[in-house]
Amino acid sequence: MSAARTASTAPVRYERLGPVAVVTMDRPDYRNAQNSAMTYALDRAFYRAADDDEVKVVVLAGAGKHFSAGHDIGTPERDAHVPFERKAGLWWDHSDKRGAESRFARESEVYLGMCRRWRELPKPMVASVQGACIAGGLMLAWVCDLIVAAEDAFFADPVVRMGIPGVEYFAHPWVMPPRIAKEFLFTGDRMDARRAYEVGMVNRVVPTGELTGRTMELASRIAEMPRMGLALTKRAVNQAEDLQGLHTGMDSVFGLHHLAHAHNAETAPDALGGMNIASMLRHSGGRPAYPREAGA
């Protein structure tokens, strides 16, 4: 492989190792919780990889002990109220709106819109997942074509506890069998890496200490294939998923998702059903998701 070329774009790092671009979420103190700044930084990184003719494959990783604890609903850097230049759609700026008008516009852009666009990046994407991959973290892993999971990885979508039918990029019945998806959502329980492999949600489970190396081995092997062949094959499989209802299914569930937010806003303390990260973790038997852990 050629020498690495690196550049830092907080809160995301970008590195090219030969034909592989490694995009790393870099908020380890908060288990890579996704604020808007991270979302737009990921978008820039993926565009950079798409534009670089030397890049054949993209790896998405998370710094520290965890891939991603999901959407940022409680860190000091939460920026849901801040306007950003819109990239994924034509909905208006959310920051000066209220209620459903604001929330629907923002989530159409930074959640559903961004994820759909990244899924169509015409180069194979491999998620390298360790530790927590929760709610919004699932969305980032699921837009990737392949998932390599460390033995310590676990997956969960606990937002039904908020009264919400799953995260915005609702791929659940396509990445796992429907009855498994229902159990996954109804209980909010964690699914460990081995079970995720058994139901077909991840491609490989590897020892935690070997995750980076094994992911790069797979990515480098894929990079030996012709670029156009990879792009067309990815498009073919994505089109087949869409013919099976993935795209239209997400549209319908996105509406239900926002019906739930609106219902919460009328009947609960807020659009999240009065839940915050601490209460979510208490119910799941975990500990707060955003401790300031040195070297996390």
Side-chain angles (χ1 to χ4, degrees):
M1 280 191 259
S2 64
R5 299 191 312 186
T6 64
S8 295
T9 307
V12 168
R13 290 186 277 114
Y14 184 99
E15 180 178 21
R16 184 163 73 76
L17 300 172
V20 180
V22 181
V23 176
T24 305
M25 294 176 282
D26 198 15
R27 297 186 75 205
D29 286 350
Y30 302 113
R31 300 188 181 185
N32 298 316
Q34 305 152 33
N35 58 7
S36 293
M38 173 182 281
T39 302
Y40 284 95
L42 284 170
D43 195 58
R44 291 190 296 271
F46 292 145
Y47 260 96
R48 180 176 176 180
D51 286 342
D52 188 344
D53 283 345
E54 299 300 315
V55 171
K56 301 281 290 293
V57 180
V58 180
V59 169
L60 176 62
K65 298 177 182 177
H66 301 279
F67 179 75
S68 176
H71 298 327
D72 186 343
I73 62 172
T75 85
E77 297 164 13
R78 188 176 186 227
D79 54 10
H81 62 292
V82 177
F84 284 81
E85 183 181 0
R86 294 174 301 287
K87 299 289 187 181
L90 295 174
W91 277 91
W92 45 73
D93 175 32
H94 72 283
S95 63
D96 59 350
K97 312 297 189 300
R98 299 182 60 189
E101 185 178 20
S102 173
R103 187 175 295 273
F104 193 92
R106 178 175 183 268
E107 295 192 356
S108 294
E109 165 77 4
V110 297
Y111 297 154
L112 184 59
M114 288 288 195
C115 285
R116 277 181 164 167
R117 205 166 61 161
W118 299 338
R119 174 178 176 256
E120 297 303 321
L121 194 157
K123 298 178 181 181
M125 296 175 64
V126 183
S128 183
V129 178
Q130 80 283 11
C133 183
I134 300 174
L138 295 170
M139 295 166 53
L140 298 183
W142 287 348
V143 300
C144 294
D145 304 291
L146 306 178
I147 301 175
V148 180
E151 289 175 334
D152 72 345
F154 61 91
F155 306 84
D157 188 357
V159 302
V160 174
R161 188 166 293 282
M162 297 176 174
I164 297 170
V167 290
E168 295 84 355
Y169 185 83
F170 193 84
H172 307 63
W174 287 271
V175 299
M176 63 184 91
R179 283 192 173 83
I180 303 300
K182 288 177 181 178
E183 180 182 0
F184 186 70
L185 287 162
F186 290 169
T187 66
D189 289 345
R190 296 177 175 183
M191 179 184 289
D192 64 29
R194 184 57 55 185
R195 178 61 171 160
Y197 176 80
E198 290 173 353
V199 302
M201 193 171 78
V202 308
N203 297 85
R204 301 183 181 185
V205 178
V206 302
T208 300
E210 299 177 15
L211 177 63
T212 299
R214 298 281 287 274
T215 302
M216 286 301 298
E217 286 176 10
L218 178 59
S220 298
R221 181 178 176 188
I222 295 168
E224 295 173 0
M225 293 294 205
R227 178 174 58 198
M228 189 62 170
L230 290 171
L232 293 178
T233 302
K234 175 169 180 170
R235 174 63 65 89
V237 177
N238 281 2
Q239 286 177 340
E241 283 189 308
D242 287 339
L243 288 169
Q244 293 165 358
L246 175 62
H247 193 280
T248 54
M250 282 188 185
D251 280 340
S252 64
V253 178
F254 193 64
L256 297 175
H257 182 98
H258 282 274
L259 172 61
H261 277 313
H263 177 73
N264 284 342
E266 291 191 21
T267 62
D270 55 41
L272 300 181
M275 302 297 289
N276 57 33
I277 193 61
S279 59
M280 293 286 284
L281 266 291
R282 279 199 303 273
H283 283 293
S284 68
R287 59 195 182 97
Y290 308 130
R292 280 208 172 270
E293 297 175 32

